[in-house]
Amino acid sequence: LTDLQATQRLRAKLSKAAATRAVVVCSPISVKAFVLKLVESLHQLSQSYAEKPKGVAGAIDAAGSALTKFGKGLLHRFGVPGSDAYVDRIKALRRETEACVAVYRVLQGSALLVDEVDLVLHPLKSELNWPL
């Protein structure tokens, strides 16, 4: 089960729960874990657009010589910016991020009830107080 498949299953379950006006029970830690996953995937996606071919890969692309084919073959194998593997990785990351955003939208339109909020918000007893 990949991250994308797990996120899509979570989205389907939450959408069904929202459509049937059901109650979803989970721990505050699991909500925080999902939000951290969303933030991480958004960060990775934004970083991927900022990356440029560096070092030898950039020099090989700029040279336009006989080494270009060899260099691009290495790029394809290692998945650095400009390669098919890199593009596939970005497409997968985009699909995963879109699925996370869909789950977040379902959660955003929901109500949250927290039991024992004193334990959740206590600075020494809860893991939830660490900054994102």
Side-chain angles (χ1 to χ4, degrees):
L1 190 66
T2 65
D3 284 345
L4 177 60
Q5 291 171 335
T7 305
Q8 288 173 337
R9 288 177 62 188
L10 177 62
R11 177 183 174 215
K13 288 178 184 180
L14 290 175
S15 295
K16 184 177 180 180
T20 60
R21 303 179 68 83
V23 175
V24 176
V25 179
C26 64
S27 68
I29 293 172
S30 62
V31 174
K32 181 182 179 183
F34 172 75
V35 171
L36 287 175
K37 177 182 173 51
L38 174 63
V39 169
E40 179 187 20
S41 63
L42 288 170
H43 176 71
Q44 287 177 347
L45 195 59
S46 69
Q47 290 297 315
S48 68
Y49 290 116
E51 290 181 14
K52 302 280 188 252
K54 300 173 190 159
V56 176
I60 290 173
D61 284 343
S65 65
L67 291 176
T68 301
K69 288 183 182 180
F70 176 74
K72 286 189 177 183
L74 288 176
L75 289 175
H76 289 286
R77 185 177 303 149
F78 296 118
V80 291
S83 70
D84 290 337
Y86 180 79
V87 170
D88 291 342
R89 187 172 57 110
I90 296 304
K91 286 180 183 178
L93 185 58
R94 178 177 282 175
R95 285 191 299 270
E96 184 178 331
T97 303
E98 288 170 353
C100 286
V101 168
V103 170
Y104 182 75
R105 286 190 180 135
V106 172
L107 292 176
Q108 196 174 23
S110 305
L112 174 68
L113 298 175
V114 180
D115 188 23
E116 299 179 7
V117 73
D118 56 332
L119 292 177
V120 173
L121 297 177
H122 192 281
L124 300 176
K125 294 182 182 178
S126 176
E127 299 175 353
L128 299 177
N129 289 316
W130 293 98
L132 293 177

